[in-house]
Amino acid sequence: MSDKDVRKGLAGVVADYTAVSKVNPDSNSLLYRGYPVQELAASKSFEEVALLLWSGELPTPEELADFETFERANRSLDPMIKAAIDLLPLDCHPMDVGRTAVSVLGAAHPLAEDSSPEAELNKAKSLFAQFPAVVAYDQRRRRSLALVEPRADLDYSANFLWMTFGEEAAPEVVDAFRVSMVLYAEHSFNASTFTARVVTSTLSDLHSAVTAAIGALKGPLHGGANEAVMHTFTEIGIRADESREEAAARAKAWMEEALAAKKKVMGFGHRVYKHGDSRVPTMKGALEKMIAHYNRPEMMGLYDGLEQAMEEAKQIKPNLDYPAGPTYHLMGFDTDMFTPIFIAARITGWTAHIMEQRATNALIRPLSAYNGVDERHVS
Ligand code: COA
């Protein structure tokens, strides 16, 4: 085996077919089951997008109504899950809470060991409905606040915000949150989705695959980047009384210094997109609406300053995490809840891939090139 046979990071390797989504880096486009993601973000609820990802088609009004009824009936935090969360330290990372909660939900699911297509879809829908309560309760317990029960009169996004903050969010805020969920839902063979497919390929169960995917998503080179973006903003200094121009100037100076020190700045760059992330314009639009809603122009200054300095120095474009981080911050989420929100969105894509992998399964087991010591013997 020669060096050219080794594809470090599997870069450029096409590992399988998928009909769930298509990423086209040349045209900066992303299609979910054939539909451009920005069209879905413009007009579809997250519930509709979830059904599209799972079944391949947008739902009929009856299918949507059935799913909404199911989702609203399964939103409450199960007392067993709450008890498991309460056992975890308040200073552990919320991704650890999310990972543990999914594992416990799997242990408790009556169809845990049933991998028929019907059972898989049922488990995917259950996780979709159950996970927001995990994120919402975790943020509240860290703030010494009590659990807020879900409201069946609110849609998924409005209820997620309600359970987190205990008050009804403004329609613009609900909509920006919905847009972020649609954009985060699916992205082909990214690291966490591939992890879920690897686990499924051994014929393990759906909750094990999602639990493993959460572990992969936690890393700052993947989902953790949206939190890291906010840490950058905080390091530069968020000054609500500053003008957009002043903030941009400080952000530019920070970026120039960071790049001179050869730092990797989170929220920029992408393994697949080299000319810009297809999801960024839509998410940036949602961020701009939040900037206007909360009257925080200086946050846009920080955003622009970093982006411009990176463009001038290295022509590296922002990825989805870049506008998503400040959007969630403005809504009031704690920074380390950003990646758990990403879990709630990506549960849809992960489970669609799990079902696809199972339907066309081949065990995923690559080879390695050995570069350790030569054979030797115990004397
Ligand atoms: N900040 C500074 N430089 C960056 C960079 C960033 N965010 N992303 C890439 N680069 C530079 C690399 O240092 C490298 O420069 P070099 O050729 O001088 O060594 C070059 O661009 C190529 O980057 P590379 O890391 O090989 O690209 P990749 O395809 O392996 O990595 C990422 C893609 C996403 C891992 C990488 O861009 C990154 O670490 N980004 C920050 C994390 C992030 O935002 N992740 C979320 C992804 S959605």
Side-chain angles (χ1 to χ4, degrees), residues 229-230 232-233 236-255 268 284 287-288 290-292 295-310 322 326 330:
V229 170
M230 220 46 234
T232 300
F233 275 43
I236 298 169
I238 301 170
R239 300 179 192 159
D241 55 349
E242 197 175 38
S243 74
R244 185 168 173 162
E245 293 70 28
E246 286 166 331
R250 285 194 308 109
K252 270 187 111 170
W254 183 94
M255 179 64 99
F268 290 88
K284 188 177 175 189
L287 170 62
E288 279 165 343
M290 291 303 91
I291 299 269
N295 190 24
R296 295 290 300 277
E298 94 291 354
M299 289 281 283
M300 211 63 219
L302 294 178
Y303 183 100
D304 291 340
L306 290 174
E307 184 183 13
Q308 281 163 17
M310 180 63 108
Y322 189 57
L330 287 170

Side-chain angles (χ1 to χ4, degrees), residues 37 45 110 114 174 178 187 236 322:
V37 69
S45 69
D114 183 346
V174 174
R178 177 195 62 79
H187 211 223
I236 298 169
Y322 189 57

Side-chain angles (χ1 to χ4, degrees), residues 220-223 225 259 263-272 274 277 279 310 314 316 319-321:
L221 295 189
H222 190 8
L259 294 179
K263 271 197 198 161
K264 252 198 179 171
V265 183
M266 301 295 138
F268 290 88
H270 200 275
R271 170 58 66 80
V272 179
K274 297 300 177 194
D277 181 326
R279 304 160 294 179
M310 180 63 108
K314 300 192 75 143
I316 298 175
N319 57 53
L320 174 59
D321 293 313

Side-chain angles (χ1 to χ4, degrees), residues 77 85-86 90 92-95 97-98 131-148 160-166 177 328-341:
L77 190 65
I85 294 174
D86 285 337
L90 284 170
C92 75
H93 195 285
M95 285 298 277
V97 173
F131 199 75
V134 172
V135 182
Y137 175 59
D138 193 28
Q139 168 150 322
R140 293 187 68 80
R141 76 184 187 114
R142 286 163 198 270
R143 295 179 174 192
S144 307
L145 297 170
L147 174 82
V148 170
F160 199 136
L161 295 165
W162 161 257
M163 283 193 295
T164 306
F165 301 109
F177 188 77
Y328 292 144
H329 172 83
L330 287 170
M331 287 173 178
F333 285 101
D334 293 339
T335 300
D336 51 10
M337 304 312 294
F338 297 178
T339 320
I341 299 169

Side-chain angles (χ1 to χ4, degrees), residues 20-336:
V20 182
S21 68
K22 179 178 179 187
V23 181
N24 188 338
D26 297 325
S27 57
N28 288 359
S29 74
L30 170 62
L31 309 177
Y32 291 175
R33 301 283 189 185
Y35 293 105
V37 69
Q38 56 278 17
E39 288 181 20
L40 296 169
S43 62
K44 297 293 170 196
S45 69
F46 185 43
E47 293 88 322
E48 286 171 287
V49 172
L51 289 170
L52 169 70
L53 289 170
W54 290 323
S55 77
E57 296 298 334
L58 282 166
T60 62
E62 296 73 33
E63 287 165 344
L64 179 61
D66 280 355
F67 178 49
E68 285 175 349
T69 304
F70 174 92
E71 193 269 318
R72 289 170 196 224
N74 285 278
R75 286 173 169 173
S76 294
L77 190 65
D78 186 299
M80 190 175 73
I81 309 302
K82 181 175 180 300
I85 294 174
D86 285 337
L87 286 174
L88 300 175
L90 284 170
D91 59 357
C92 75
H93 195 285
M95 285 298 277
D96 300 344
V97 173
R99 194 189 58 229
T100 303
V102 171
S103 187
V104 177
L105 283 166
H109 201 288
L111 301 174
E113 300 305 324
D114 183 346
S115 295
S116 63
E118 300 72 31
E120 294 283 88
L121 186 57
N122 179 294
K123 287 185 277 186
K125 288 179 177 173
S126 299
L127 261 185
F128 178 96
Q130 290 164 325
F131 199 75
V134 172
V135 182
Y137 175 59
D138 193 28
Q139 168 150 322
R140 293 187 68 80
R141 76 184 187 114
R142 286 163 198 270
R143 295 179 174 192
S144 307
L145 297 170
L147 174 82
V148 170
E149 290 298 337
R151 278 198 19 208
D153 60 323
L154 300 176
D155 75 1
Y156 175 98
S157 300
N159 178 61
F160 199 136
L161 295 165
W162 161 257
M163 283 193 295
T164 306
F165 301 109
E167 54 188 51
E168 253 186 81
E172 307 88 292
V173 178
V174 174
D175 201 54
F177 188 77
R178 177 195 62 79
V179 167
S180 77
M181 300 305 278
V182 171
L183 295 176
Y184 265 135
E186 160 58 14
H187 211 223
S188 76
F189 280 23
N190 55 84
S192 58
T193 301
F194 194 63
T195 301
R197 291 190 74 127
V198 170
V199 175
T200 305
S201 83
T202 71
L203 301 185
S204 186
D205 66 288
L206 180 140
H207 286 85
S208 294
V210 173
T211 303
I214 293 172
L217 188 71
K218 183 180 177 187
L221 295 189
H222 190 8
N226 58 11
E227 296 177 23
V229 170
M230 220 46 234
H231 294 312
T232 300
F233 275 43
T234 309
E235 194 184 318
I236 298 169
I238 301 170
R239 300 179 192 159
D241 55 349
E242 197 175 38
S243 74
R244 185 168 173 162
E245 293 70 28
E246 286 166 331
R250 285 194 308 109
K252 270 187 111 170
W254 183 94
M255 179 64 99
E256 282 155 12
E257 211 171 291
L259 294 179
K262 305 245 170 292
K263 271 197 198 161
K264 252 198 179 171
V265 183
M266 301 295 138
F268 290 88
H270 200 275
R271 170 58 66 80
V272 179
Y273 298 116
K274 297 300 177 194
H275 324 291
D277 181 326
S278 59
R279 304 160 294 179
V280 165
T282 310
M283 194 62 224
K284 188 177 175 189
L287 170 62
E288 279 165 343
K289 286 185 186 152
M290 291 303 91
I291 299 269
H293 178 77
Y294 292 105
N295 190 24
R296 295 290 300 277
E298 94 291 354
M299 289 281 283
M300 211 63 219
L302 294 178
Y303 183 100
D304 291 340
L306 290 174
E307 184 183 13
Q308 281 163 17
M310 180 63 108
E311 179 64 33
E312 282 162 21
K314 300 192 75 143
Q315 294 78 53
I316 298 175
K317 317 282 182 212
N319 57 53
L320 174 59
D321 293 313
Y322 189 57
T327 302
Y328 292 144
H329 172 83
L330 287 170
M331 287 173 178
F333 285 101
D334 293 339
T335 300
D336 51 10

